[in-house]
Amino acid sequence: MTNRISHWIEGKTWSGVADRGGDVFDPATGEVRARVDFAGVQEVMEAVAAARRALPAWRNTSLAARGRVLFAFRELLAARKHELARIVSSEHGKVESDAAGEVARAVENVEFACGAPQLLKGGFSENASTGVDVYSLAQPLGVVGVISPFNFPAMVPLWFVPNAIACGNTVVLKPSEKDPSAANFIAALFAEAGLPDGVLNVLHGDKVAVDGLLEHPDVKAISFVGSTPIARYVYETGTRHGKRVQALGGAKNHMVVLPDADLDLAADAAVSAGFGSAGERCMAVSVVVAVDPVGDELVAKIAERISKLKVGAGADPESEMGPLVTAAHRAKVESYVDAGLAAGAELVVDGREVRTVSGEPGGFWLGPTLFDRVSPDMSIYTDEIFGPVLSVLRSATYDDALSVVNANPYGNGTAIFTNDGGASRRFQHEVEVGMVGVNVPIPVPVGYYSFGGWKDSLFGDSHAYGPEGFHFFTRTKVVTSRWLDPSHGGVNLGFPRNT
Ligand code: NAD
């Protein structure tokens, strides 16, 4: 019998009967490993109502008690990280070592949230006016929705959930329907850590669940991560319904290689950042901009490294790159290889030749693919492919390379490879991208900074996690108070001011 994955509402698995559902695959074999329930309007109502019921008590729970839950969760997560990594790998397809990296970054965010009491401290001004004190409070928003993509089923929910609950909010998490099990594992672990029922609920499903959260009047804020068209839709719909929204979208990340760079380092980085997680990362490098004259040598070095990559099942410790998440996604990525060829790009390595891996013809395999002499008008350059397809563009000068990066509508991550400190300093100043690496290909900020791109890679004005995460999940209140003393008195109709 096929395994069933359902919602987690008010501290337990939902026991109703779902009208709709979806298949969850093992990407390495192509077999259906489970069915996941899709929420209808009624289930959205149930999950939000549970979060609403849990809010008053959780909001009034002391910082110390909230902190103890987060510390306990951190310990449980660290102790069971391999189990979670295996769950991620089995539904997403990424290799287990990569999934373990995802979980490790998630632990960082939990550790940051453990510092909530320090981060929620307000300001206090004694005697702002004679006998008058002014202070600020950071209070939770209420019920918040978190909607996450398939590519980081553990890390992205944990970009938001720890901070949201540390701030005193209650949460409805809507994970991707493609790999839903990590969210349930996380919710059960939070329950084990002592999180009261209803503070974190998991609602599975598709657009119906997302729209339900976007329109529900009791949901006060939405943190979304996914593709740019959906991020834009979520931002516009959520804000129209009066919610605070941060919506992180897609990416096309460029790695600029200057003539003085260490080309072995750059080639290692291009292959790691281009093909790790089969390119299904919002911080993947999908474009290498080679500044003359390094193009030929760099392409040769990248191709040589690709030839040694081991594609295989995520559970095989020898594998370096797993399959794509679904057959439909593989077909879409493959169609870009055809489009690149038709547009005249030079196909240096053709990943379509990788078909049967580990004796599994049904797996969603596509090998690493390298295009050279790509131009900015080709669809392999303009579109986010989100697969193992790396494009190399040639640029005559640093200025040309910078113009290419800045003309791109996305602005998530970028990296420069050079040994010239002045050039790198100029790049970090001039480039219109939210996260910049210098000789670092995937500059994902550590948990005590915040994560977010510019332009079409983020809608809203708060980045995810870190200090901006705390800012997003709270609203401030300023109190002006006077305690009577013998010097008070007198009517004054003027606007309050300092005299
Ligand atoms: P997606 O946009 O298809 O789905 C994201 C979420 O939105 C899922 O929970 C999905 O169920 C829901 N959704 C899908 N279609 C919807 C619709 N029509 N209406 C309402 N909700 C809908 O993204 P994905 O394929 O799961 O993830 C990959 C994308 O996410 C890539 O574009 C990647 O760059 C992006 N991403 C961005 C970041 C970032 O931080 N900027 C991080 C990870 C992934």
Side-chain angles (χ1 to χ4, degrees), residues 411-451:
N412 214 38
T414 188
I416 188 163
F417 277 70
T418 178
N419 281 317
D420 182 337
S424 103
R425 194 167 179 279
R426 195 171 144 194
F427 183 72
Q428 74 189 38
H429 181 66
E430 294 177 334
V431 76
E432 291 171 19
V433 172
M435 293 171 283
V436 181
V438 175
N439 297 320
V440 170
I442 310 183
V444 175
V446 288
Y448 42 94
Y449 282 78
S450 297
F451 181 108

Side-chain angles (χ1 to χ4, degrees), residues 275 286 288 299 306 333-350 352 368-374 378 380 385 388-394:
F275 303 113
S286 48
V288 171
V299 168
I306 289 176
V333 174
E334 225 172 16
S335 76
Y336 278 106
V337 183
D338 300 334
L341 271 174
E346 195 180 300
L347 186 57
V348 182
V349 182
D350 187 352
R352 296 172 303 178
T369 298
L370 180 64
F371 276 112
D372 191 11
R373 301 189 185 281
V374 173
M378 297 176 181
I380 51 171
I385 300 174
V389 180
L390 184 62
S391 294
V392 178
L393 260 77
R394 310 276 188 123

Side-chain angles (χ1 to χ4, degrees), residues 148-151 174 177 207 224-227 249-250 282 384 386 451:
S148 57
F150 82 83
N151 67 317
K174 207 303 279 173
E177 63 278 35
K207 183 172 166 53
F224 172 91
V225 181
S227 58
C282 66
E384 182 187 39
F386 218 58
F451 181 108

